Amino acid sequence: MCNLKSFLLLFLISSTLFSQQITIKYIGNSEGIINLTSESKENAYDRAVLSTKNRELIIDNDCSIFCNDINRGTLIYAAPNETLEFDVDTKGLIHYYCASNPIRKSESEFLNASFEKYGSIKNLPNYNQLKIVMASQKMNTYFDKDYIKQKELLETYFKENKLSKEFYNYLSTTYWSLTLYNELEEKTINPNTFKAIEESFDQADTLLDADKYRELLQNYVQKRMKVLGLKKSLSGEMEFISKNFNNQNIVDYLLYSTIYYPISIRDQKVPFDPKALEIFRKYCKNQTFAANVENELKPAQTPLVLKEIIKKHEGKLVLIDFWASWCMPCREEFPDEKKLMDKYTDVAFVFISIDKSANSWKKAMDVYKDILNKENSVLIAKSEKDELLKQINVTTIPRYVLIGKDGKIIHKDAPRPSTPEIQTLIEKYL
């Protein structure tokens, strides 16, 4: 039986149109899960899970979606209002098609042929990180850092009318971006590499739709500053971006991608660089980027006092689910947990997220509206005074804690919702 955990799956969502839905359906029967991470210009990393229990993913914005596993690098391409169905063969290859657009099937065949011959779509640093694991699993370790062979295969398929123009353009941009990215990794960078990247800035409004071009721009900033002897700091990087790009879309994206991660770590010990935030607010014109950053800057929620939450459900059995948006095993349990919620209506289900980013938590809530809501879902903000939380001592997730009707802990590490043992435990104390 094919193990779905062995994929590295990349979905590209075409961004020629906006605010239109794309539906992706898993139609296979192999056990396991497919862990997806979506990334777009406006959104940081959003995660979802597909499996035999949760087969459908609906996306309403432009993005790329990755299944971040070491073994796969296959791209699935879609356009707005398309529905894609995919399955997996015994070798672990993804096969997909679209009833309304038959060319998607031949694009899938191209991607599989390219993967089997030349390996994953990777930049050089990522590839070097994977080499040892790939060798241990006897995977194809061929790596064309100039992407010459992939480009040749792409041209062959396109000339034979097996690829759409949009797909061809995206892959051309991807291979070009990866090639230039790898040139930036040379010990001595050819000035023509910087020149080629800089000549692309006029077309960046379109090129930014490709995730590998966005990665190239980020690497360009790092390497250009190093060559110029500029000191590396968050505010220094932000200042360089604001002064060295004429394309506003590039400025907006780079300022946002540079500041978003450090600003979204809510419990960071090092004070955030206020000058970096000042530069972002002054030069970033993208309202979505600005709103995401300001949302992360809002004061943390009132420190979580678990005892107070349990008190709200006094007289009820309470199942607490400690989870995070980035935790795929946590999200894999949600469909079974929904069944428990439907079956045991007298049990209170409380979901406590340990996400670092408030945005990531809120986006995950939007994905699971039938499970998570304002009443049962909270974002943890630790309090030293929370003795009950200390007693539970959550060090790994997913973690389930069963609280009795009297407010006392019954089980500090309860069985997962997908197991029959949890139902036995609930019924024992109902």
Side-chain angles (χ1 to χ4, degrees):
M1 183 168 289
C2 178
N3 183 356
L4 296 188
K5 293 181 179 178
S6 65
F7 303 160
L8 172 55
L9 175 62
L10 161 68
F11 293 89
L12 164 79
I13 307 305
S14 172
S15 57
T16 54
L17 298 173
F18 294 91
S19 300
Q20 301 186 58
Q21 289 187 337
I22 296 162
T23 303
I24 298 172
K25 293 182 177 181
Y26 170 57
I27 60 172
N29 294 310
S30 299
E31 295 181 1
I33 62 172
I34 304 170
N35 299 323
L36 306 178
T37 302
S38 64
E39 179 185 2
S40 69
K41 289 178 292 184
E42 278 76 16
N43 295 316
Y45 302 99
D46 296 335
R47 290 169 171 82
V49 176
L50 291 187
S51 67
T52 54
K53 298 177 183 177
N54 185 34
R55 293 181 175 273
E56 185 171 290
L57 173 65
I58 297 176
I59 304 162
D60 60 5
N61 66 322
D62 67 307
C63 64
S64 301
I65 300 180
F66 303 85
C67 178
N68 291 316
D69 187 89
I70 60 171
N71 297 335
R72 295 290 295 146
T74 304
L75 163 72
I76 294 182
Y77 186 91
N81 295 322
E82 288 185 348
T83 296
L84 294 178
E85 295 184 347
F86 76 92
D87 199 355
V88 185
D89 66 18
T90 55
K91 295 187 293 184
L93 296 175
I94 307 299
H95 297 271
Y96 69 91
Y97 63 91
C98 176
S100 63
N101 194 350
I103 202 168
R104 300 296 180 224
K105 183 177 181 180
S106 61
E107 291 172 352
S108 173
E109 292 170 354
F110 162 79
L111 292 164
N112 286 330
S114 181
F115 174 77
E116 287 196 288
K117 290 180 179 180
Y118 311 118
S120 303
I121 297 175
K122 288 284 181 187
N123 58 40
L124 188 56
N126 286 342
Y127 176 76
N128 286 335
Q129 292 171 15
L130 291 175
K131 275 198 295 189
I132 296 176
V133 180
M134 293 170 71
S136 67
Q137 297 190 14
K138 298 181 180 179
M139 294 172 60
N140 178 6
T141 56
Y142 177 85
F143 183 65
D144 174 13
K145 69 184 182 68
D146 298 321
Y147 283 88
I148 295 172
K149 296 297 182 182
Q150 287 92 328
K151 292 173 189 175
E152 291 175 352
L153 189 62
L154 182 72
E155 294 295 336
T156 299
Y157 269 73
F158 187 60
K159 289 177 182 177
E160 295 175 356
N161 297 315
K162 294 181 178 179
L163 307 175
S164 65
K165 181 66 173 176
E166 294 78 13
F167 179 92
Y168 171 80
N169 287 341
Y170 179 82
L171 263 294
S172 295
T173 300
T174 295
Y175 294 148
W176 178 85
S177 299
L178 285 166
T179 299
L180 270 292
Y181 190 110
N182 292 334
E183 289 181 13
L184 289 176
E185 295 302 308
E186 298 291 341
K187 290 183 178 179
T188 302
I189 301 174
N190 190 325
N192 288 331
T193 300
F194 286 126
K195 182 179 179 182
I197 297 171
E198 289 157 2
E199 288 176 348
S200 75
F201 295 164
D202 289 339
Q203 292 80 44
D205 294 353
T206 300
L207 297 176
L208 276 165
D209 292 335
D211 64 288
K212 296 304 178 186
Y213 183 72
R214 299 196 293 268
E215 289 181 11
L216 174 64
L217 290 179
Q218 292 171 325
N219 198 19
Y220 167 84
V221 170
Q222 299 293 324
K223 298 304 192 297
R224 200 77 179 98
M225 290 183 66
K226 184 176 181 180
V227 168
L228 293 172
L230 299 176
K231 184 179 179 181
K232 185 177 179 180
S233 67
L234 183 59
S235 58
E237 197 170 328
M238 301 284 283
E239 190 168 4
F240 175 85
I241 292 167
S242 67
K243 292 181 178 179
N244 288 276
F245 295 92
N246 293 322
N247 185 299
Q248 186 61 45
N249 284 333
I250 292 181
V251 173
D252 289 346
Y253 172 72
L254 286 175
L255 289 177
Y256 177 66
S257 62
T258 302
I259 201 173
Y260 185 80
Y261 180 75
I263 212 169
S264 66
I265 304 303
R266 298 180 300 122
D267 57 356
Q268 58 183 335
K269 296 180 180 179
V270 180
F272 182 75
D273 185 344
K275 185 178 179 181
L277 181 59
E278 180 184 336
I279 294 170
F280 175 82
R281 285 172 169 166
K282 181 177 180 179
Y283 292 102
C284 181
K285 307 303 180 184
N286 184 297
Q287 295 303 308
T288 302
F289 292 160
N292 285 349
V293 168
E294 295 302 328
N295 188 52
E296 292 291 355
L297 288 169
K298 290 179 182 178
Q301 293 188 350
T302 303
L304 172 67
V305 179
L306 197 53
K307 189 175 180 179
E308 294 299 318
I309 293 175
I310 294 171
K311 190 175 181 180
K312 292 180 182 179
H313 304 287
E314 193 171 4
K316 278 189 171 185
L317 204 62
V318 181
L319 183 65
I320 302 175
D321 179 343
F322 290 93
W323 70 289
S325 65
W326 46 262
C327 172
M328 294 302 102
C330 300
R331 296 172 75 150
E332 183 187 3
E333 294 290 325
F334 278 176
D336 288 299
E337 200 156 4
K338 180 62 169 65
K339 292 177 183 177
L340 291 179
M341 294 168 73
D342 293 339
K343 183 175 181 179
Y344 300 107
T345 55
D346 290 335
V347 176
F349 290 81
V350 176
F351 298 84
I352 299 178
S353 169
I354 66 168
D355 271 296
K356 302 295 185 183
S357 166
N359 278 333
S360 297
W361 169 63
K362 290 177 181 178
K363 290 171 189 172
M365 283 186 64
D366 288 339
V367 173
Y368 300 100
K369 291 180 180 179
D370 60 334
I371 301 174
L372 307 174
N373 56 62
K374 292 181 180 179
E375 298 300 320
N376 69 5
S377 179
V378 295
L379 183 63
I380 197 168
K382 294 181 180 179
S383 169
E384 294 302 321
K385 298 179 181 180
D386 197 330
E387 295 299 330
L388 189 55
L389 199 57
K390 287 181 181 179
Q391 186 180 345
I392 294 172
N393 188 27
V394 178
T395 56
T396 60
I397 55 174
R399 176 80 174 274
Y400 305 91
V401 178
L402 190 64
I403 306 292
K405 296 178 182 180
D406 58 358
K408 296 180 180 179
I409 297 174
I410 293 174
H411 203 310
K412 287 200 295 184
D413 194 2
R416 294 190 179 192
S418 58
T419 65
E421 288 80 9
I422 188 62
Q423 295 190 46
T424 303
L425 189 63
I426 288 174
E427 290 173 0
K428 178 179 178 180
Y429 291 96
L430 264 180

